[in-house]
Amino acid sequence: MPDPVPVTSRLGQLACQSLQLLLLLAALCMGIASVRSVESDIVLPARVLAAAELKYGAGARERLAAWQQLVGSAHGRLEADKLRLVNDFFNTIPFVSDLEHWGREDYWATPTEMLASNGGDCEDFSIAKYFSLVALGVSIDKLRITYVKARDINPVSQAHMVLTYYATPGAMPLVLDNLIPEIKPASQRPDLTPVYSFNGDGLWLAKARGDGKAVKGGSGNISLWRGLIARMGKEFD
């Protein structure tokens, strides 16, 4: 199926790759793809914790247990608190490029892989925050994984990914970023130029720093998501 819009950059290619499988990923990760908003605990089997510890050391078990505890303890909190708690939690994980961490150019890690291995890149941060907030009952209508061009990084513009949160439809989104720990409105992040955004329901072309224009159509190559989905729940089998 052709791409819904002309794709001229890696940003656009990755966004188009992601559209159709996001809802399935949510189902496999949290078991909640059939609902808009519900709180759900993250429960990792003892064998997963043991296998993570065996592969990555005692710190892996501790980080995964802390993730479960974070989600369990944040149920019923205000959404602003949930955003802050999740953003702060994952931003303690070191940034490591895919090539250095996984030995390949592009690898989208599951939240379990990211935490166990204690490293990830911008895609991994955004994905882990997204599914953690979904587990905390934040509606997927309010969340979008957003591809941007980030200025002043080493020191040129680079492809980057953040998670954006819309309190209401069409509102100025808040940006959850691993580069800057503070959650800020997109209007206060002039260093980021939005390109595409997506969630379990759709794909949007960027429109300034607001809601954007919905794009209809299928996706192209979905190998990154297919690989991610295949690993969900099987990271240590």
Side-chain angles (χ1 to χ4, degrees), residues 21-35 130-131 134 140 200 225 229 232:
L21 290 183
L22 274 165
L23 199 55
L24 178 56
L25 177 59
L28 291 171
C29 185
M30 302 298 177
I32 53 177
S34 61
V35 295
Y130 175 88
F131 287 111
V134 171
I140 62 173
W225 276 110
I229 290 169
M232 298 298 281

Side-chain angles (χ1 to χ4, degrees), residues 20-152:
Q20 289 184 331
L21 290 183
L22 274 165
L23 199 55
L24 178 56
L25 177 59
L28 291 171
C29 185
M30 302 298 177
I32 53 177
S34 61
V35 295
R36 309 304 304 168
S37 176
V38 64
E39 293 185 341
S40 174
D41 285 334
I42 294 173
V43 180
L44 298 175
R47 65 171 182 80
V48 171
L49 297 176
E53 181 176 9
L54 181 64
K55 185 172 184 178
Y56 294 108
R61 177 189 286 270
E62 294 169 0
R63 288 186 294 274
L64 291 171
W67 181 38
Q68 294 180 104
Q69 182 178 8
L70 170 77
V71 171
S73 64
H75 290 317
R77 301 283 293 269
L78 295 174
E79 284 195 350
D81 293 333
K82 294 176 180 179
L83 295 177
R84 177 181 54 80
L85 290 168
V86 167
N87 193 60
D88 289 349
F89 177 81
F90 282 102
N91 281 353
T92 64
I93 303 299
F95 176 91
V96 188
S97 71
D98 285 339
L99 192 60
E100 180 181 355
H101 202 50
W102 304 108
R104 62 188 79 176
E105 285 290 337
D106 273 316
Y107 183 84
W108 289 14
T110 70
T112 300
E113 288 175 322
M114 179 190 184
L115 289 169
S117 65
N118 198 31
D121 68 356
C122 57
E123 289 110 345
D124 304 326
F125 283 97
S126 301
I127 291 167
K129 293 173 186 179
Y130 175 88
F131 287 111
S132 297
L133 288 169
V134 171
L136 283 171
V138 178
S139 172
I140 62 173
D141 296 329
K142 296 182 176 182
L143 299 170
R144 294 185 189 173
I145 297 171
T146 302
Y147 286 93
V148 299
K149 290 182 180 179
R151 297 199 304 273
D152 305 323

Side-chain angles (χ1 to χ4, degrees), residues 222-233:
I222 53 176
S223 59
L224 287 171
W225 276 110
R226 186 177 289 127
L228 175 62
I229 290 169
R231 295 191 308 277
M232 298 298 281

